Each structure stands twice: as C-alpha cells, then as structure tokens.
Amino acid sequence: MQTNNNCIVIFGASGDLTHRKLIPALYNLFKFGRLNKFSVLGVARSELNDDTFREKMREALLETEETTPETLDAFCSHLYYQAVNTSDAADYGKLVPRLEELHTKYQTNGNTLYYMSTPPSLYGVIPECLAAHGLNEEKDGWKRIIVEKPFGYDEKTAQELDVQIHRFFEEHQIYRIDHYLGKETVQNLLVLRFSNGWFEPLWNRNFIDYVEITGAESIGVEERGGYYDGSGAMRDMFQNHLLQVLAMVAMEPPAIINANSMRDEVAKVMHSLRPLTQDDVEHNLVLGQYTAAEIDGKEVKGYLQEKGVPANSRTETFMALRCEIENWRWAGVPFYVRTGKRLPARVTEIVIHFKTTPHPVFSQNAPENKLIIRIQPDEAISMRFGLKKPGAGFEAKEVSMDFRYADLADEQVLTAYERLLLDAMKGDATLFARTDAVHAAWKFVQPILDYKEAGGRVHEYEAGTWGPVAAEKLIAKSGRVWRKPSGKMKKKV
Ligand code: BG6
C-alpha cells in the first residue's frame, strides 16, 4: 500500500512559491490530519538554519492561515533547512546525512519527495546533482520529483529538459505540476460529464455550437515583471493551464480512472488539436498588452511601466485564440479560448454553447442554451435555458438553474496545491501532466511562438477592459460574442 509518510525536500525554499503556496498547503494538510509521519527540508543558497527558516515560515503562515499557536508550533517543529549551492553537485553531499537523520527521526523509510520550486534553469541541474549522491535511487523508499511550470520554453527546450531529467529519474517518478488540474471544479468537470447519462449524448458536434474558455485575472503582473516578460500570457497560462482545461472539456471517457487511462485521453486531445496555420495566427489569434488606466478611482500602471519590464517590451498580457479539435466528436466546433491580466474580473470559466432549435417557434430571439462551468471564484455550474415569460403571449425568457459548489462541501475542500502535494505523496499521478501531452501542447503553440518572434502584432487594451477590440472582432466574425462574466455567478431567477 502507498504511504504518504515522507520527507519533502523543497528546492527554492527561500522563494515566493514556497511561503505563498507550498508551506501553507503542507500546513493545512497537517492541520486536517492528512500528514502523519513527515518532515520538510527547505533547501536554497541563503544561509538560513532550521530556526530562522521556521521563523520565516511561521510569519508567512500567520499572514495567510487561520491558526492556533499550538498547531503552528507543532507544524513548524517538522521544518528543517539546509543551505546548498544548488549549482554545485558536490555541495548536494550535505543532503545525504540530513536526509538520513530525518528519515530515521520520522520513520519515513527513505521516501522522499523533491519539489523543484527554483528558477527553471535549475530543473535540469538538480536531478543530476541528486543522482551524483545516489539520492534518486529507490532502493530504500520511493523518490519522486515535482517539476514546477514552465516545463520548457518551447517544444525543443521541453524535449531537452525531459532528456535531462529522464537520465536520472524514470517517468513514473516525475510529477509535472499544473495547479489548474488540482482545482476541485476542474475535476468536477469529469464527474459532471462521465457520471451523468444526459450530458454525454449532447456533448459533441451535433449539439454543441461552440465552446468558450476564459481565464481572466484582474491583477497585473505585480512583482513578477522580470519572469513574466520572458513568458507572456501564452506560456504563462495558455500552453499549460488553459490547454489542460480544454482537454478536460474535450476528452473521451477514460476506460478507468487511473493515471494512465486519464492521461492517455488528455494526450489524445492535445494530438487532435488542428495545427495552427499562418492564416490562423494572423486571423484567429489576438495578442494584447494592457496600458495604464484609472480603475475605481485608482491609477493603474500599464504593462510597460511595471517593475522589471523593458520599456519597449512586446510581451502579450492577453491572448485570444479560435482553435479546433480534429476528431469525430468535435470536428467543426470552434473553441474560443482567452486569457489576460488586468481584465475586469478574476474569473475562470467554461461555457458550452448548445445549438439553437432548428426553427424558432415562439420568438425571433430564441434563448441560448448554455452550460456555464465556473472554475473560480465562486465555483458553480449554471444551466441556462428558455422558459415562458409570465403573462400574455409566448415570449421565451432565459432562466438559469444554478448549483454552487460550496453547497455540497460538507467537508474541507483541498486547495489545488494541497490536493496535488498529497497525490504526489501517495504516488497518484492522475492529475499531473504527462510528457507526451506536454510536448503535444508545445507543438501546438509553436506557430504562435514563431509569430511572436517574427514581430506579430500586439494590440493595446486599457487595463480594466476585456482586452483589445480585435478580440471582439475575432469572435464576431462568426456572429458570436464573448461572455462578459462578473466575478460572481448571479442568480437570474
Ligand atoms: C500561475 C501564473 O501559473 O497561475 C500566474 O504563473 C497566474 O501568472 C496564476 O496568476 C493563476 O492561478 P490562479 O490559481 O490564481 O488562477
């Protein structure tokens, strides 16, 4: 039986992700009794020690988590720190006695989960340095390695990175994290589709007109301008998070729910994406960059004025794309996908637009049938359809049936990082990206990268708006409009 008793080694322990996401996730798992025998070994170059690391993590937890002094003390007693020059293989030798000591103290049988939360330039280096000291070998307990995004910078570098990691870790030991897959509502999409008889017959080209996927953020790039400028919306959100969500919408039912069957289906979707042509990148793609504006009486900087962003940057903070999936289920159904920073709301949602009736009997403006799957915030599913407006005549009016996820949650719902960390400890890779799907996703977006590289157009949009006008025109070509969701799912009846 798999056990989640282990030592979690976090590379990049002094970084942002560690105190914002990883430590709070581990803290909550501990608080709710999901971690038993475990220790956390923070590793970075900074000269901290166990006490100073604990103090920093304690401060971070006090800022974000509901806690009591007892639980906080109990959790922090499991935290340790080892300073290592992470680009020097010899220095990793320091980890050997530290890990031995921790495994003995916590009876964790050599089980070790490495988490690479470092700059991506170290993703190829760390596995090699661990292997130099036998720290990848599974003779005494399992060894797994979590790789944060970005997994590569393009198709070629993703392949190179795979080669580097595979020299020292086998595929079953590698967990490529995409935190969108850890979101409860993304998983719920699978349950909605595959545990209800009535969606499946409709879930195809015969009944679905088009699919809209939005990953909107109201924040700008904040303190991450330096990283973001080398990445842009395409690499930061689209190639990974949104394509994974698209795959969940489009995939075939897996034969069984396990890592291989699920990921086989995801990979099949990625492989079925119709390759983007020159015409697509010129006419079915819109890139945008936000400019300064006043939002709610406050001045908001434009992207070019953000810290760490070169004044002449052409990096996109918005992208919208019309794409298609070439298979029996989806042929001819457009998928409109958009993502951006500094949009009017923080909202991630999928809208399945069903075809209208063949002939509008009651009014010219027949109500649209749509299924809105709100991933965040305010997780919900809303079905929109037409009913008779009370009174004389037969005028149809769009009404909605809403289900809010919070109504179902009678137990603690794990956040994405909590869920994924726990899964990795249990050896369940179902919700982690597999190498073939990652490569297929890079291959699909390569024409967009080439277009950017070749100086493709980046439109301006004012911060606080739904992106460039060109994005409206993109969808309007087929007589459609983007939904303009607010942060909250409004009750319509
Ligand atoms: C991260 C991106 O992967 O996802 C960020 O690097 C983005 O730029 C974030 O803000 C969005 O995640 P979430 O869970 O807040 O939607």
Side-chain angles (χ1 to χ4, degrees):
M1 202 185 84
Q2 287 285 0
T3 159
N4 60 353
N5 295 340
N6 71 128
C7 175
I8 303 130
V9 181
I10 304 179
F11 290 96
S14 51
D16 198 48
L17 187 73
T18 303
H19 71 255
R20 266 192 326 110
K21 298 282 185 195
L22 305 182
I23 292 291
L26 291 168
Y27 172 77
N28 282 317
L29 290 175
F30 172 77
K31 185 165 102 179
F32 291 107
R34 309 233 185 187
L35 288 182
N36 183 14
K37 296 176 180 169
F38 78 102
S39 58
V40 179
L41 180 62
V43 177
R45 286 169 203 249
S46 322
E47 285 298 331
L48 301 176
N49 58 34
D50 294 347
D51 289 337
T52 46
F53 181 59
R54 283 176 188 164
E55 203 37 52
K56 274 178 172 292
M57 296 305 119
R58 176 189 292 272
E59 279 168 22
L61 289 170
L62 279 170
E63 262 180 38
T64 56
E65 305 306 309
E66 277 182 22
T67 156
T68 61
E70 296 73 35
T71 325
L72 197 54
D73 283 349
F75 174 74
C76 287
S77 73
H78 289 257
L79 304 184
Y80 298 83
Y81 184 84
Q82 179 63 55
V84 169
N85 175 356
T86 34
S87 35
D88 174 7
D91 220 30
Y92 283 66
K94 292 176 184 159
L95 294 177
V96 175
R98 265 341 279 278
L99 282 169
E100 269 171 21
E101 170 202 322
L102 293 175
H103 285 310
T104 308
K105 179 163 179 184
Y106 291 96
Q107 300 168 5
T108 39
N109 305 322
N111 295 336
T112 314
L113 181 64
Y114 301 109
Y115 199 116
M116 294 201 281
S117 163
T118 58
S121 54
L122 285 174
Y123 293 173
V125 176
I126 292 171
E128 178 165 9
C129 296
L130 288 171
H133 301 276
L135 291 170
N136 56 337
E137 289 167 16
E138 296 201 289
K139 42 184 197 280
D140 58 340
W142 51 255
K143 306 288 179 293
R144 300 182 187 132
I145 190 155
I146 299 187
V147 192
E148 252 302 330
K149 82 168 230 289
F151 196 87
Y153 192 70
D154 53 18
E155 195 188 350
K156 183 165 166 281
T157 49
Q159 260 156 8
E160 285 165 3
L161 180 56
D162 251 338
V163 170
Q164 280 175 308
I165 303 180
H166 278 139
R167 278 168 61 208
F168 309 104
F169 285 83
E170 308 219 2
E171 183 60 24
H172 76 267
Q173 296 174 280
I174 304 170
Y175 289 69
R176 296 171 195 80
I177 198 163
D178 184 314
H179 79 278
Y180 266 56
L181 293 181
K183 290 184 192 280
E184 193 71 23
T185 349
V186 175
Q187 296 151 37
N188 198 25
L189 180 56
L190 299 181
V191 178
L192 175 88
R193 286 191 55 198
F194 302 138
S195 72
N196 295 298
W198 62 354
F199 291 117
E200 176 53 27
L202 304 179
W203 211 266
N204 56 53
R205 62 194 299 274
N206 297 324
F207 297 95
I208 294 179
D209 186 23
Y210 69 107
V211 177
E212 211 183 321
I213 300 177
T214 297
E217 295 186 272
S218 50
I219 54 170
V221 293
E222 307 200 293
E223 297 301 306
R224 299 162 72 229
Y227 147 77
Y228 192 88
D229 201 61
S231 164
M234 225 288 308
R235 290 187 172 95
D236 188 53
M237 288 288 292
F238 180 77
Q239 183 272 343
N240 33 64
H241 304 327
L242 293 186
L243 280 184
Q244 289 287 346
V245 170
L246 180 148
M248 296 278 170
V249 174
M251 69 194 263
E252 295 302 314
I256 41 168
I257 298 286
N258 69 17
N260 271 340
S261 309
M262 277 274 297
R263 299 191 302 172
D264 284 347
E265 298 307 334
V266 168
K268 268 163 52 184
V269 176
M270 301 291 188
H271 285 297
S272 312
L273 285 161
R274 185 166 64 73
L276 297 171
T277 59
Q278 190 58 27
D279 188 63
D280 283 320
V281 290
E282 281 168 14
H283 300 111
N284 289 326
L285 168 76
V286 172
L287 304 178
Q289 189 184 77
Y290 61 83
T291 58
E294 193 182 294
I295 302 178
D296 296 334
K298 278 213 310 234
E299 284 295 320
V300 169
K301 282 185 198 160
Y303 178 68
L304 296 182
Q305 289 86 53
E306 299 277 15
K307 205 168 116 199
V309 174
N312 59 352
S313 169
R314 297 185 58 262
T315 296
E316 79 289 356
T317 58
F318 174 96
M319 72 165 275
L321 178 73
R322 177 195 187 281
C323 55
E324 284 184 31
I325 298 170
E326 286 184 317
N327 63 19
W328 280 43
R329 187 186 284 271
W330 294 112
V333 178
F335 280 69
Y336 291 94
V337 188
R338 69 182 161 162
T339 181
K341 297 226 182 251
R342 283 278 182 236
L343 301 186
R346 174 180 184 249
V347 47
T348 307
E349 67 170 31
I350 302 155
V351 188
I352 310 290
H353 295 264
F354 290 93
K355 291 186 174 169
T356 50
T357 52
H359 170 64
V361 183
F362 295 118
S363 67
Q364 285 309 310
N365 297 321
E368 255 201 59
N369 289 169
K370 41 185 186 260
L371 184 68
I372 302 171
I373 301 161
R374 171 67 61 87
I375 291 172
Q376 64 185 17
D378 194 27
E379 297 86 344
I381 292 178
S382 173
M383 218 190 247
R384 303 279 165 93
F385 51 96
L387 279 183
K388 182 180 170 301
K389 206 169 167 180
F394 282 98
E395 199 183 331
K397 170 184 172 7
E398 186 180 299
V399 297
S400 98
M401 262 168 62
D402 296 342
F403 160 74
R404 279 152 205 270
Y405 212 67
D407 297 343
L408 192 71
D410 50 4
E411 61 172 89
Q412 176 226 2
V413 175
L414 298 182
T415 63
Y417 274 97
E418 290 163 16
R419 167 74 199 254
L420 295 173
L421 277 164
L422 196 59
D423 280 2
M425 291 181 215
K426 289 182 171 162
D428 182 352
T430 309
L431 298 174
F432 289 83
R434 201 173 60 189
T435 179
D436 48 353
V438 173
H439 294 308
W442 276 122
K443 190 172 177 156
F444 174 66
V445 302
Q446 191 62 45
I448 304 179
L449 299 177
D450 295 342
Y451 174 73
K452 276 172 52 163
E453 196 65 23
R457 177 145 186 216
V458 181
H459 301 256
E460 292 186 344
Y461 64 99
E462 237 181 61
T465 66
W466 279 104
V469 178
E472 302 297 335
K473 291 190 180 154
L474 163 68
I475 196 166
K477 278 191 247 172
S478 58
R480 298 163 174 134
V481 284
W482 294 102
R483 216 175 92 81
K484 305 275 181 320
S486 68
K488 289 247 173 275
M489 190 72 95
K490 284 198 192 84
K491 273 216 182 318
K492 290 199 80 182
V493 263

